[in-house]
Amino acid sequence: MGDKDSDGSPGAAQTTSAAGGPLDLNLLRTFLAVYRSGSFTSAARLLGLSQPTVTTQIRALERQLDRELFERLPRGVAPAPFADALAARIVDPLDALAAVTGHGGPLDGAPAGPVHLAGPAEMLCHCALPALAPLVEKGVRLRVSTGLTDPLLDELRAGRHDLVIATARPRGRSLHAVPLADEEFVLVAAESWAERIGGPDRIAAEGPAVLHGVPLVTYAEDLPIARRYWRHVFGKRLTREASVTVPDLRGVLSAVIAGAGFSVLPRYLCRDALAAGSLVLLHDPQDAPINTGYLVQRPGSADNPHVALVRDRLIQSARAW
C-alpha cells in the first residue's frame, strides 16, 4: 500500500500504488474525469474514450490502490472518502500539466470558448440575460439553452453545459452548487377580476373559495405551482382544472394581464406588472411559499476563464432578483 494517514487518505509521500510503484498518469486523468463528471458515461464523453475503457481503467486504478474509489449508484457514481482525498492531491498538478500540454483549455492569448448556460426559460430571459449583457459587450460569448432541471443536470454531467440554473439542489456530491436566488410565489389577477371578486380583503377574510368561478391560468395540467401555494398558504388541496395552460410562465403572465383569470407566479416575473397596476396581488400571506434556485457548475469547466466571469456575475446580480 502507499503511505496513508490514520484516516486512510494518501499521506505526505508521493501517491503510489499498493505495490509501491508510481501510478499511471492516464489512470489518474480518467479518475479525475469520473470524479468531476459524476459518471463513467460522462467521463468517457469528456475524454473521447468508450465507457468500457473508462470502467476498465478505474478498476485497474482501484486494484493498484487496493481501494474502492466510487460507489456505483442507479444514476452515476459517488466518490468514496479516499477518492476525495486523492482528487485533492492530484487536481492541481494534473490541471497544470493539461494546460502546459494544451489539453486543459485555451492557452494564454487564445480566445476563450463560448460559455454554455442553461436553465428555466423565464429566469434566463427575465433575470440572467439582462445581467450578463455587459459581459457580452466585453467579449464573452454565450450559448443559452432552456429546459427542466433534471434533464439539464444530466446534460451538464455529460459536458453539454458549463453552468445550469437549477430549481433544486443536485443530488450527490459530484456537482458543485451554490444558492442563487429565492423565488417567492404570489397569487395574482388583472384588476378587473380583483374588483369582481371583492379584492384581497375578501380573500383574506373568506379564503380561497372566493376564487370559485374565476378561470385558472397555469403552467401545466397538474397545476404544480398553484397546488403548492394552496397547500402552503391555505392548508388545503387545490381541486380544480385549469382553464388555460401555457408551458412558459411568461405566457401565463400575458394571459392573466389580459384578463384570462388568476394564477400563481414568481414575484420577480410580475413585479413590473404589479407596480404598473396591470396585475393585482390577491393575497399577501406572512409566509409566502418560496423556491431556492441554485447555480451549478460543470466539473472541469474552470479552464475557460469566461465561465468564472459569468458565474460571478450571476451570483452578484441575483441579490436583486
Side-chain angles (χ1 to χ4, degrees), residues 24-36 43 47 49 57-58 61 90 93-95 97-98 101 103:
D24 186 295
L25 192 59
N26 288 326
L27 299 186
L28 292 176
R29 286 196 183 105
T30 300
F31 159 76
L32 195 57
V34 174
Y35 183 85
R36 284 171 157 170
L47 295 169
L49 301 173
Q57 290 185 356
I58 292 300
L61 184 60
I90 69 174
L94 284 187
D95 283 350
L97 180 61
T101 58
H103 297 293

Side-chain angles (χ1 to χ4, degrees), residues 115-131:
V115 178
H116 294 263
L117 172 66
E122 301 86 356
M123 185 169 283
L124 284 171
C125 294
H126 195 83
C127 300
L129 290 179

Side-chain angles (χ1 to χ4, degrees), residues 216-224 241-249 251-252 255 260 263:
L216 171 60
V217 186
T218 186
Y219 180 85
E221 291 287 353
D222 59 348
L223 322 178
E241 293 185 356
S243 296
V244 180
T245 62
V246 187
D248 188 314
L249 292 179
V252 174
S263 189

Side-chain angles (χ1 to χ4, degrees), residues 31 35 83-93:
F31 159 76
Y35 183 85
D84 290 327
L86 178 61
R89 284 187 56 81
I90 69 174
V91 59
D92 289 339

Side-chain angles (χ1 to χ4, degrees), residues 96-166:
L97 180 61
V100 170
T101 58
H103 297 293
L107 298 174
D108 291 342
V115 178
H116 294 263
L117 172 66
E122 301 86 356
M123 185 169 283
L124 284 171
C125 294
H126 195 83
C127 300
L129 290 179
L132 296 175
L135 295 184
V136 177
E137 184 180 0
K138 295 178 181 178
V140 173
R141 292 180 292 159
L142 296 172
R143 300 294 181 266
V144 180
S145 302
T146 63
L148 300 176
T149 287
D150 285 345
L152 290 180
L153 290 178
D154 288 340
E155 293 171 359
L156 182 79
R157 294 184 180 96
R160 289 187 57 184
H161 312 299
D162 297 308
L163 297 165
V164 166
I165 297 176

Side-chain angles (χ1 to χ4, degrees), residues 164-229:
V164 166
I165 297 176
T167 57
R169 182 186 288 276
R171 295 182 296 273
R173 296 178 291 175
S174 62
L175 295 177
H176 178 66
V178 295
L180 186 64
D182 287 335
E183 295 178 285
E184 178 189 352
F185 295 108
V186 292
L187 182 65
V188 294
E191 185 177 8
S192 58
W193 274 113
E195 291 176 350
R196 289 169 65 178
I197 64 174
D201 291 341
R202 188 177 173 207
I203 291 180
E206 301 179 28
V210 172
L211 293 168
H212 180 74
V214 182
L216 171 60
V217 186
T218 186
Y219 180 85
E221 291 287 353
D222 59 348
L223 322 178
I225 301 176
R227 282 191 298 106
R228 180 181 176 189
Y229 189 96

